[in-house]
Each structure stands twice: as C-alpha cells, then as structure tokens.
Amino acid sequence: MKKFRILAIALLGSLVSFAQTEVNGKIETKIVTQKELNYALHIPENTKEKKPLILFLHGSGEKGNNIEKVKVHGPFKYLKTNNLDAYVLAPQCPENEYWDSEVLYRLILKIQKEYNIDSNRIYLTGLSMGGWGVWNLAFEHPDTFAALVPIAGFVDRVPMIENCKIATIPIRIFHGLLDDVVDVNYSISIYKKLKACNTDIKLTIFDDANHDSWTRVYDNKEIYDWMFKQIKK
C-alpha cells in the first residue's frame, strides 16, 4: 500500500510538471527602409501632348553610381544616333543590390506626376539582370504596362507559377541559344507557361548569340515601332 501511494504521488508530480500554458498576443511595429535610385530621363521634343514612356532596366555590369553606364546599352544607346518620340527612363541599380520592384514602381509614379506621360503606353524592357527585373516588376504591377520586352533574363519561381497574371500584356522575349550566363531555358520555360493564357507573346532565340542577345534588338527600329503600337488593355 505504501508503495502504491508513493507511485501515485510521483505520477501526480509528473502531470504537474508537464502542464502547459498558451497565450495570444499582438505586436505593432513599423519598419522603414530608405532607398535611393539615380536615373537618366530622355525627354521628347514635343511635351505638350501625352507621350509614351519606356522604362529600361540595365544588367549587373552597369550597377553603381555613374549614370553614364545606363547609356551603354539599350534605348539610350539607340538615342545617340536616332530619335524616339517618347520619354525614356533608365534608373541605375546601386552596387550590391538588385532591382527592387516597389522602388521602380514608385519611380514610375514620380515620372508620371512630373511629366506628360500617356499612362496607357508605358513599356517595360531590360537585359540580363534587367530582364529578371522586368518579370518581377510586371508581376507585381501587371496593370501598369502596355508591353514587355525582357532580354536574356533569369526567371524567378513566382512568375512561373502565376503566369496568367500578365495574360493581357503583349510580350516579346529574346535570348541567345549559346548564352553561358543565363540559360536560354529560362526564357523557353516562361514562354511555354505564358503561352497557355497569353495570345500575344513571341519568343525569339538567336542561334548564334551568347549572352549579348540585346544589341541586335535595341539597335533595331523595329522593336520601338512595335512597342509604340501597343496600348494597355
């Protein structure tokens, strides 16, 4: 009998030691981040009428604090010998950072507020890291853009899953078959995903191009003519 009592007391003590409590709580906090982005803006000759806006995102080689770097490739290079009747906006990504979609969107809003931009004709294009930025920004703010031109860009998992989110945006994708920096299969995979719900999409693969598949695209008047015909649906 004595042994049983001792065992019972031991079991009771064990139950007490394993007793658990649960609380519900709430935290209120405010996180503020400050971002800075330099940019170059080409302004068309006639600004009385609303004009299209091309947003160009450069690659990783043009990061830094020297705005002239953003003019080495893309629309600004084209503008050195040609004319575009549009605003052309080229931000510069800081060193040790990547394109931040929310910062880019805030930049677009700033330019729209300060200049006579046709909100139905905003075009987004970029190369390499900028191509990656095109996909991410388009999926974050799909109602902003009338057309997309990503070139040699890496594609994150989210665009692959939420492909139909940009089903109404005309898209022209370019990539080099011999690209040894960003595998061409990224462009092929996203094209196949988007093709299921987007009827105005085209993938061009240059058989003889390595990572630089953008020079022949941006140096050609054809891509700008195509963009300017697109109007947001």
Side-chain angles (χ1 to χ4, degrees):
M1 190 71 179
K2 186 176 180 181
K3 288 182 179 180
F4 176 78
R5 190 179 297 114
I6 292 172
L7 179 60
I9 292 171
L11 286 170
L12 180 62
S14 177
L15 289 172
V16 171
S17 66
F18 280 102
Q20 298 184 29
T21 59
E22 184 178 286
V23 298
N24 296 323
K26 180 192 293 187
I27 179 175
E28 292 186 11
T29 184
K30 185 177 182 181
I31 300 174
V32 178
T33 58
Q34 185 171 338
K35 296 281 188 175
E36 186 174 276
L37 205 62
N38 294 327
Y39 63 85
L41 179 67
H42 165 77
I43 300 174
E45 292 179 8
N46 179 11
T47 58
K48 292 180 180 179
E49 300 175 0
K50 286 185 177 296
K51 294 295 173 67
L53 170 66
I54 299 174
L55 173 58
F56 166 68
L57 305 181
H58 64 71
S60 59
E62 290 74 59
K63 290 182 182 181
N65 197 32
N66 178 1
I67 200 62
E68 293 304 311
K69 284 185 174 183
V70 306
K71 303 174 184 178
V72 173
H73 305 293
F76 266 91
K77 179 189 174 188
Y78 182 82
L79 282 166
K80 291 177 182 178
T81 54
N82 300 272
N83 181 52
L84 290 173
D85 190 23
Y87 292 89
V88 180
L89 176 62
Q92 184 173 37
C93 186
E95 289 284 3
N96 304 315
E97 292 187 26
Y98 294 92
W99 290 119
D100 185 312
S101 294
E102 194 55 35
V103 175
L104 291 170
Y105 181 64
R106 299 278 183 98
L107 175 59
I108 293 171
L109 295 180
K110 168 185 164 64
I111 298 301
Q112 282 184 285
K113 185 177 180 180
E114 296 177 359
Y115 297 92
N116 201 10
I117 306 294
D118 184 345
S119 61
N120 290 317
R121 299 173 72 201
I122 298 178
Y123 311 111
L124 176 59
T125 184
L127 62 90
S128 192
M129 183 187 78
W132 168 82
V134 166
W135 291 121
N136 290 341
L137 180 54
F139 276 88
E140 286 290 332
H141 299 279
D143 297 331
T144 302
F145 305 104
L148 308 177
V149 183
I151 306 175
F154 173 83
V155 186
D156 281 339
R157 185 169 176 267
V158 171
M160 288 293 190
I161 297 172
E162 301 181 357
N163 49 300
C164 290
K165 198 173 182 180
I166 58 172
T168 61
I169 307 178
I171 304 171
R172 296 295 180 266
I173 309 170
F174 297 89
H175 215 121
L177 182 64
L178 308 177
D179 195 328
D180 59 2
V181 178
V182 178
D183 197 308
V184 67
N185 284 305
Y186 283 112
S187 289
I188 294 172
S189 296
I190 191 65
Y191 168 75
K192 289 180 177 178
K193 285 280 187 179
L194 290 168
K195 188 68 176 174
C197 52
N198 189 318
T199 59
D200 194 356
I201 181 171
K202 182 179 179 182
L203 169 63
T204 300
I205 298 175
F206 299 117
D207 293 345
D208 59 341
N210 198 305
H211 191 45
D212 181 3
S213 52
W214 54 80
T215 295
R216 67 185 75 185
V217 179
Y218 288 128
D219 285 1
N220 193 328
K221 182 176 179 290
E222 184 177 336
I223 195 62
Y224 305 103
D225 289 343
W226 176 81
M227 280 193 283
F228 295 149
K229 290 176 183 176
Q230 311 309 312
I231 300 174
K232 188 170 67 175
K233 298 176 182 178

